[in-house]
Amino acid sequence: MFDTPDDRRYMESHEWTTTGDGPVRIGITDFAQDELGDVVFVELPDEGDELAKGEEFGVVESIKAVSDLYAPVSGTVTDVNEDLFDQPELVNDDPYGDGWMIEVDPSDADEFDDLLTPEEYEEQIE
Amino acid sequence: MYYDQARYGQNGEYEPLLSEKDSTTVEVGGAASSAGGDENAADGDGSPLPDHLTRDSLTLPELSEPELARHYTRLSQMNWGVESGPYPLGSCTMKYNPKFTEDAAGDPNAAVHPDRSEQSVQGTLEVLHGLQEYLGRVGGMDAVSLQPPAGAAGEFAGILVAKAYHETRGDDRTEVIIPSSAHGTNFASAAMAGYDVVELPSDEDGRVDLEALRAAVSDDTAALMLTNPNTVGLFERDIVEIAEIVHDAGGLLYYDGANLNALLGRARPGDMGFDIMHYNVHKTFATPHGGGGPGAGPVGVVEELAEFLPSPRVRETETDSLTEPGYELFEPERSIGKVHGFQGNWLVLIKAYAYIARLGDEGLADASAKAVLNANYLGSRIDYEIPYAPFHHEFAATAGEQDAADVAKRMLDYGVHPPTTKWPEFVPEAMLTEPTEIENRETLDDLAAAFNAAASEDDETLATAPNRTTARRIDQASAARDPRLSWHALESDGE
Amino acid sequence: MTRERGRGSPFAPHTAAETAAMLDAVGVDDEEALFDIPDEVAFDGEFGIEPRGEAEIRAELARTFAKNDDLTEFLGRGHYAHYVPSLVDHLSLRSEFLTSYTQYQPEITQGFLQALFEYQSLLVELTGLPVANCSMYDAATALAEAARLAGRVRATTGARVLVPEPAFLRAGKRGVLDNYVDGTDLSVETYPMDDGNVDVEALSELVDDDAVMVYAENPTVRGTIEERIDEVAELAHEHDALFCLGSDVVALSLLREPASVGTDVVVGEAGVLGLPTSYGMGLGIFATREEFLRQVPGRLVGASEERVAPGAERNGDGSAAEASGRRVYTLTLQTREQHIRKERATSNICTNQAWVALRTAMHAMYLGPSGLVELAEDCVRRAADLAGRIDDIVGYQAPVHDRHHFREFAVRCDQPAAAIAEDLEGKGFAVHVVDEHLLQVCVTDANAAHADALVAAFEEVA
């Protein structure tokens, strides 16, 4: 029922990340946006901020819920999706595409291995 | 009748916003201001102040009294109150607000300034003292302060009392334990006082999980905040043991008075082992909710904590008269100080006093009896499941596969105010329903019919409701994504 | 219909027959069977509260309130009396307003929401700031919430909140502020005043980069009007601190617009319009800049649209196939609030002063812009006039501070102030005692007719 692209890794707290050496993109899953309902506000870190794996990096708000965002991997924030400040609905419309949140230059490639595979994540949300 | 669009929605228009009606700009100031600031600028019809101390202009609607009277009358007609029909909003205790209490509060002799000398406001102090007494008896508390202007302010004051108590004993405690099912204000009040919040899960019966409580208490526990009956209407039957666990750990027990309407004359927080409580006089004692307030949240404590209560309180004093007692303000010895700039919501307190006096022992006990009977009767008539019982003055039904918020919108179409929805969160799709004692059987049957009609309807019907209200379903996302919070914001939007 | 006239609640409509039928439907014999209360905590005693009839209680309260001395009050210092037009009582007491609660179902509470939106708009116009909430409890709690907001938005820079010295900040207001910051890292410190205005030079020595907020009042609690308020704001901003201004809705109609002097948060008292003298009950103002929108405490009403137009086609998910174009109102940005964000909420406030806000809006709209400005100008004229007349009496100097005044002013007296106040009380007047030889007098449209008599009384007790 929910889209879970197989080219990324997931967290139990419903964030996704692309994988690889270069900057990776991070956002929330289709399941998460559906649970939240209409997203109305997104708070994101600044470019250049250092994130540790599992650390809070922002907040996503719908009309009646607030959810913290957790970093899937450690690294430096290299880009922030500023479109979300004016169009938070992109998170609902296209959670894996235009609704991405930050780009991070990962500092430890091994951390990806600890994340959920698409199959494992789908199992979790069933 | 209420939903008559032809009456309130002519040509698809609502009552126009005031800004759209002949706003006028008034120039302010304009007096010649000499270099040194002319002290005589106040002469004549000009501005009494030099220009550099005044604003330039003020732009507001300029309406005649008849226009304004129609404006506010129309707005009132676009609003649902307890007198419009049933208002079973769970945890809010939407009772009928007796008219005479309003007149009592309007007594011109009660309109005194808070800085009046004590001897010149003996009447005011006597009523305050009388209410302190009444509330103490009803809650089983030894001392009461009337200052907190709302329930949440009462919570904050009460937690500050707990903090002062521990600090006086040199006891450094950092945590307040709160069941996950508690009112959001509990968490916020404890955090405002600087405490870490420890959330306690409910057990499968919907009550405090004793094992979890034992595991949660420690030398760090300053207090446990508890609502009883809890937020799904269940009495915490283990309250004596709960009190023991908390007290043995050196903590205090705080009673959230939101649900006191279930217990009047049958149980008192003080007898259950609670050390501190707040009263919601706009719930239990029928003072009007006023579209969101003002309420009042007096705080009561056991003897040992009386010295920490907010200041000032009122006490009897010696007088020359043999028959007439006198009253004075005093500061409790180790008072936490103030939670309101003056003495709280005085006009609300008068209404609470008048209500309690009207009911007396039997009336208060009967109010609880009928509130609990009404909830149980209504619960027995609806098709939705109620997972937790035996409940008292309110119940949490579950909408099951339906969306509780949609059910609520559909109930609007059947001419009733819906219950509180999607809370408490541990009940899936919760519909927290509190009819209070004021509804008769026929109205409860109407309410049940509204529930049951919605229960049998399909998702699309629910999702597109309401259809018969003054406004159709409002776009919450649009309001939050693009906040427009004044008529100025609408103008700059080009609306 | 035969109605049982027992001693139950007069506001529970059940007849005996109805009660019996309902108990039967529930399947219990009596009401007590519905209470699941263990014996060990059951209360079988009595409160000892005798029920009385409506007339009896009104007579009792009327007798009790008549024990309050009938004094003409020349009192202010944060709680002010202006004549409240009859329209305010008659319309605000309409039960649809009075007996409703927070607008959780906006589709049937458009009326109150629109009135609150109009109230917010009034505050936006008066302050020049784009965000105003629809109420705090009073001026003291509003100031305290402002300090907490400053702590949140300036958390990294420091923790000092600077407020006027005790003589220029009511103890009650300071007390509330102290309690609200008790659970934070913030510390409250004072700066001195100079003849009734902020001592800007002294303040400049005190403000440093650890300051998160500077608070000043205009008019001050002694009625003086600030002459260098913009410099105070500038000082705060130089050190990246917020400038918070305390005022009231009448003063704001005349004095410099807060936004134009660089104010970040306006707090203060709005109940000066709409509320009669009520032993300190109030309505707190809270207005601020757009950038702090998500840190605002309390309820906010916003404009929106209907998702479905009446009679219009609609999509399956309820979204509008055709927009109605009608403007509607709703509570918004509620994720800031306690019922959603719990311990991380911007404030614990839930029940507020909405009905007072309705009354304030009614009173302000009744006056209109010219009426408001006129009322405010009279506050300056009357204070200057009465101060001059008291100053003419041997034994008094008024106003004490060489400033413009709003509504009230301090009076220095050769005799002990307490003794004079007591003598004045004996003659039917109430004034403030603020220090050993300092009185304070407040004059508005509500007591101006008695100003001659007050002056005469001052002469007699001098």
Side-chain angles (χ1 to χ4, degrees):
Chain A
M1 162 165 187
F2 295 105
D3 198 13
T4 308
D6 51 17
D7 60 344
R8 10 201 131 185
R9 290 296 188 103
Y10 298 85
M11 291 184 78
E12 283 172 17
S13 50
H14 311 291
E15 292 82 3
W16 56 258
T17 175
T18 58
T19 56
D21 297 338
V24 293
R25 277 199 173 176
I26 292 167
I28 65 167
T29 65
D30 190 25
F31 172 84
Q33 70 79 20
D34 186 73
E35 283 285 298
L36 282 166
D38 291 332
V39 172
V40 298
F41 179 67
V42 181
E43 193 180 300
L44 298 174
D46 294 325
E47 253 182 73
D49 285 2
E50 295 289 333
L51 298 178
K53 180 184 166 72
E55 186 189 351
E56 284 175 28
F57 72 81
V59 174
V60 57
E61 289 186 18
S62 65
I63 301 155
K64 53 190 72 148
V66 183
S67 194
D68 290 323
L69 299 166
Y70 298 97
V73 290
S74 308
T76 311
V77 179
T78 54
D79 199 2
V80 170
N81 187 359
E82 290 178 5
D83 290 346
L84 299 185
F85 300 142
D86 290 329
Q87 294 171 273
E89 58 271 27
L90 289 174
V91 176
N92 295 115
D93 298 345
D94 190 8
Y96 297 108
D98 291 345
W100 67 278
M101 291 174 171
I102 55 172
E103 241 172 44
V104 169
D105 192 11
S107 54
D108 180 359
D110 290 345
E111 285 179 351
F112 290 104
D113 298 337
D114 304 335
L115 297 170
L116 301 178
T117 63
E119 295 74 30
E120 287 167 334
Y121 179 70
E122 277 187 334
E123 220 163 279
Q124 185 201 313
I125 61 174
E126 255 172 33
Chain B
M1 181 180 69
Y2 174 77
Y3 300 113
D4 188 348
Q5 286 289 345
R7 205 167 143 203
Y8 308 125
Q10 284 128 349
N11 310 318
E13 290 297 319
Y14 293 141
E15 172 64 8
L17 192 64
L18 277 184
S19 73
E20 293 153 1
K21 292 180 179 173
D22 308 314
S23 270
T24 303
T25 300
V26 172
E27 303 296 323
V28 182
S33 125
S34 60
D38 186 353
E39 290 298 319
N40 296 322
D43 288 348
D45 292 334
S47 169
L49 287 176
D51 268 0
H52 70 279
L53 298 183
T54 69
R55 60 190 298 138
D56 297 332
S57 66
L58 185 64
T59 303
L60 287 170
E62 183 97 65
L63 283 88
S64 67
E65 181 168 339
E67 288 170 305
L68 263 186
R70 280 203 182 132
H71 176 69
Y72 285 111
T73 298
R74 285 186 188 131
L75 290 186
S76 77
Q77 288 168 331
M78 292 162 63
N79 213 61
W80 184 270
V82 170
E83 287 175 30
S84 311
Y87 209 137
L89 193 62
S91 108
C92 298
T93 316
M94 300 300 292
K95 294 189 188 197
Y96 173 73
N97 313 124
K99 303 291 184 196
F100 85 101
T101 64
E102 210 61 52
D103 290 334
D107 190 322
N109 289 323
V112 292
H113 189 283
D115 287 347
R116 285 273 293 260
S117 68
E118 290 164 53
Q119 74 269 13
S120 77
V121 291
Q122 286 295 300
T124 289
L125 298 187
E126 184 175 334
V127 171
L128 289 170
H129 186 263
L131 184 57
Q132 281 178 191
E133 282 289 305
Y134 279 178
L135 293 179
R137 291 186 219 170
V138 169
M141 291 285 150
D142 297 315
V144 173
S145 164
L146 303 173
Q147 190 177 107
E155 291 174 15
F156 181 59
I159 291 299
L160 288 178
V161 165
K163 192 175 181 178
Y165 166 80
H166 292 305
E167 277 171 5
T168 300
R169 294 157 53 98
D171 198 352
D172 185 26
R173 290 171 179 257
T174 55
E175 295 175 353
V176 170
I177 302 173
I178 304 172
S180 56
S181 60
H183 301 109
T185 48
N186 289 186
F187 303 88
S189 299
M192 268 175 71
Y195 283 108
D196 295 329
V197 173
V198 177
E199 219 172 293
L200 201 61
S202 303
D203 70 6
E204 54 187 30
D205 295 332
R207 296 189 177 85
V208 168
D209 183 331
L210 287 183
E211 285 316 305
L213 177 62
R214 282 198 190 92
V217 297
S218 72
D219 290 350
D220 286 329
T221 305
L224 167 69
M225 296 179 85
L226 203 58
T227 309
N228 194 18
N230 67 21
T231 57
V232 291
L234 307 189
F235 194 88
E236 295 286 355
R237 292 191 58 89
D238 297 323
I239 186 60
V240 171
E241 210 173 334
I242 290 170
E244 252 171 45
I245 295 169
V246 174
H247 288 149
D248 285 351
L252 297 173
L253 201 57
Y254 183 94
Y255 182 85
D256 177 333
N259 290 350
L260 188 61
N261 203 44
L263 299 185
L264 296 171
R266 285 172 187 78
R268 306 193 302 173
D271 302 335
M272 297 176 212
F274 286 94
D275 306 293
I276 311 170
M277 70 175 290
H278 79 265
Y279 305 78
N280 296 86
V281 307
H282 45 291
K283 297 181 182 179
T284 316
F285 306 116
T287 68
H289 280 70
V299 56
V301 295
V302 295
E303 187 61 46
E304 198 181 355
L305 300 175
E307 61 179 348
F308 300 106
L309 280 174
S311 171
R313 294 181 58 224
V314 182
R315 67 183 169 201
E316 280 192 45
T317 180
E318 308 251 318
T319 60
D320 301 336
S321 161
L322 292 174
T323 50
E324 289 275 304
Y327 299 91
E328 67 179 4
L329 296 170
F330 74 102
E331 176 166 3
E333 201 177 337
R334 300 171 197 271
S335 173
I336 60 155
K338 305 283 287 181
V339 292
H340 184 272
F342 295 99
Q343 288 273 50
N345 283 333
W346 162 236
L347 299 177
V348 177
L349 298 172
I350 301 173
K351 297 176 207 178
Y353 177 88
Y355 178 83
I356 295 172
R358 181 79 184 87
L359 266 63
D361 286 9
E362 296 86 348
L364 291 168
D366 187 53
S368 280
K370 295 303 189 296
V372 173
L373 174 62
N374 278 1
N376 277 273
Y377 177 77
L378 178 59
S380 75
R381 309 293 285 185
I382 67 170
D383 296 340
Y384 289 102
E385 188 200 344
I386 302 170
Y388 298 104
F391 52 83
H392 290 78
H393 67 304
E394 66 184 354
F395 60 81
T398 174
E401 295 298 304
Q402 292 180 327
D403 184 306
D406 288 345
V407 172
K409 295 301 180 202
R410 186 60 178 149
M411 287 177 75
L412 297 176
D413 280 337
Y414 295 109
V416 301
H417 195 290
T420 298
T421 57
K422 305 214 175 195
W423 190 85
E425 283 153 2
F426 75 96
V427 179
E429 298 299 330
M431 299 188 289
L432 186 66
T433 311
E434 182 184 9
T436 84
E437 68 272 20
I438 70 157
E439 305 302 349
N440 63 20
R441 186 187 184 187
E442 197 184 341
T443 310
L444 294 169
D445 287 339
D446 288 347
L447 261 173
F451 271 106
N452 296 341
S456 67
E457 287 173 327
D458 60 43
D459 286 349
E460 191 192 325
T461 306
L462 299 181
T464 54
N467 298 285
R468 300 174 194 154
T469 45
T470 39
R472 296 290 297 275
R473 185 83 66 104
I474 289 168
D475 191 337
Q476 297 292 336
S478 165
R481 283 171 183 160
D482 176 20
R484 287 145 283 169
L485 307 176
S486 68
W487 61 52
H488 308 76
L490 299 175
E491 283 157 16
S492 60
D493 268 10
E495 277 194 36
Chain C
M1 185 164 56
T2 319
R3 198 164 279 277
E4 182 190 35
R5 282 281 166 203
R7 303 190 77 191
S9 167
F11 311 113
H14 310 61
T15 62
E18 216 170 46
T19 301
M22 289 169 69
L23 287 168
D24 198 42
V26 176
V28 292
D29 293 336
D30 63 16
E31 288 149 349
E32 301 315 312
L34 296 170
F35 289 88
D36 180 36
I37 300 173
D39 289 345
E40 51 188 341
V41 295
F43 173 68
D44 54 3
E46 289 170 0
F47 301 137
I49 302 171
E50 188 63 30
R52 283 93 93 190
E54 180 177 317
E56 213 177 326
I57 295 163
R58 288 207 54 195
E60 173 200 319
L61 281 172
R63 268 196 314 276
T64 308
F65 286 134
K67 295 177 188 171
N68 286 343
D69 295 343
D70 184 15
L71 301 182
T72 302
E73 297 177 345
F74 284 83
L75 300 171
R77 290 182 63 83
H79 189 64
Y80 303 103
H82 290 289
Y83 173 73
V84 179
S86 293
L87 170 134
V88 173
D89 261 355
H90 283 272
L91 290 172
S92 71
L93 285 167
R94 285 185 64 96
S95 72
E96 299 92 331
F97 286 137
L98 185 68
T99 73
S100 66
Y101 192 38
T102 304
Q103 297 73 29
Y104 297 121
Q105 297 293 341
E107 293 84 0
I108 56 165
T109 46
Q110 283 298 296
F112 217 121
L113 286 163
Q114 182 172 333
L116 292 174
F117 186 86
E118 289 168 357
Y119 168 81
Q120 289 177 180
S121 302
L122 168 72
L123 265 295
V124 168
E125 176 65 24
L126 288 172
T127 61
L129 293 167
V131 178
N133 79 6
C134 64
S135 73
M136 300 271 84
Y137 306 127
D138 69 346
T141 53
L143 164 61
E145 292 279 14
R148 293 182 62 95
L149 179 146
R152 292 193 294 272
V153 302
R154 292 289 184 265
T156 51
T157 55
R160 299 172 69 216
V161 174
L162 292 166
V163 302
E165 59 173 284
F168 281 83
L169 186 64
R170 275 198 75 111
K173 214 177 255 186
R174 174 64 194 266
V176 173
L177 174 61
D178 287 341
N179 272 334
Y180 269 60
V181 303
D182 187 47
T184 69
D185 296 334
L186 299 172
S187 64
V188 182
E189 295 169 35
T190 60
Y191 60 81
M193 300 287 286
D194 173 25
D195 196 21
N197 270 199
V198 174
D199 185 337
V200 178
E201 283 65 37
L203 180 64
S204 73
E205 297 293 312
L206 287 164
V207 192
D208 62 15
D209 290 346
D210 280 342
V212 295
M213 187 174 103
V214 175
Y215 174 68
E217 297 184 341
N218 191 26
T220 69
V221 71
R222 288 204 183 161
T224 48
I225 295 171
E226 284 288 348
E227 289 165 26
R228 297 164 71 187
I229 200 77
D230 47 344
E231 293 175 54
V232 179
E234 213 169 292
L235 269 180
H237 292 160
E238 273 170 23
H239 296 277
D240 201 29
L242 303 193
F243 175 57
C244 176
L245 178 73
S247 193
D248 69 75
V249 288
V250 176
L252 286 169
S253 306
L254 176 65
L255 303 184
R256 296 186 70 176
E257 183 197 70
S260 74
V261 297
T263 307
D264 299 292
V265 187
V266 176
V267 297
E269 189 49 66
V272 295
L273 292 180
L275 259 188
T277 301
S278 49
Y279 205 52
M281 181 167 163
L283 164 60
I285 297 169
F286 199 98
T288 190
R289 293 183 184 288
E290 187 89 43
E291 61 178 301
F292 306 135
L293 173 60
R294 284 168 195 282
Q295 292 297 334
V296 169
R299 311 260 187 227
L300 290 168
V301 177
S304 188
E305 306 82 34
E306 292 168 306
R307 290 176 63 191
V308 189
E313 291 298 311
R314 57 196 184 234
N315 300 324
D317 66 352
S319 63
E322 179 192 319
S324 73
R326 291 204 302 200
R327 186 188 302 136
V328 291
Y329 307 91
T330 181
L331 294 176
T332 193
L333 301 170
Q334 294 189 67
T335 48
R336 299 166 296 111
E337 296 185 56
Q338 44 76 29
H339 59 289
I340 294 176
R341 229 182 188 103
K342 297 165 85 170
E343 64 267 32
R344 291 160 70 190
T346 53
S347 168
N348 68 339
I349 192 168
C350 177
T351 293
N352 49 73
Q353 304 288 105
W355 185 67
V356 186
L358 169 74
R359 292 176 62 101
T360 298
M362 284 177 173
H363 192 168
M365 300 307 169
Y366 174 93
L367 292 171
S370 43
L372 265 172
V373 172
E374 207 171 300
L375 177 64
E377 287 180 343
D378 281 347
C379 288
V380 177
R381 289 195 190 97
R382 288 195 172 106
D385 177 63
L386 184 56
R389 295 176 65 189
I390 292 173
D391 191 55
D392 287 344
I393 306 169
V394 176
Y396 303 104
Q397 296 92 53
V400 169
H401 303 293
D402 185 19
R403 306 287 179 188
H404 293 283
H405 286 75
F406 196 88
R407 283 197 199 98
E408 54 194 330
F409 52 89
V411 180
R412 190 176 310 287
C413 42
D414 298 346
Q415 304 295 319
I420 291 176
E422 205 179 324
D423 287 351
L424 285 173
E425 197 167 298
K427 295 180 178 301
F429 299 98
V431 300
H432 298 279
V433 176
V434 290
D435 214 334
E436 212 172 322
H437 288 277
L438 220 51
L439 295 166
Q440 191 166 321
V441 174
C442 178
V443 57
T444 70
D445 53 302
N447 59 12
H450 302 274
D452 290 348
L454 178 74
V455 170
F458 262 108
E459 274 168 357
E460 287 166 35
V461 304

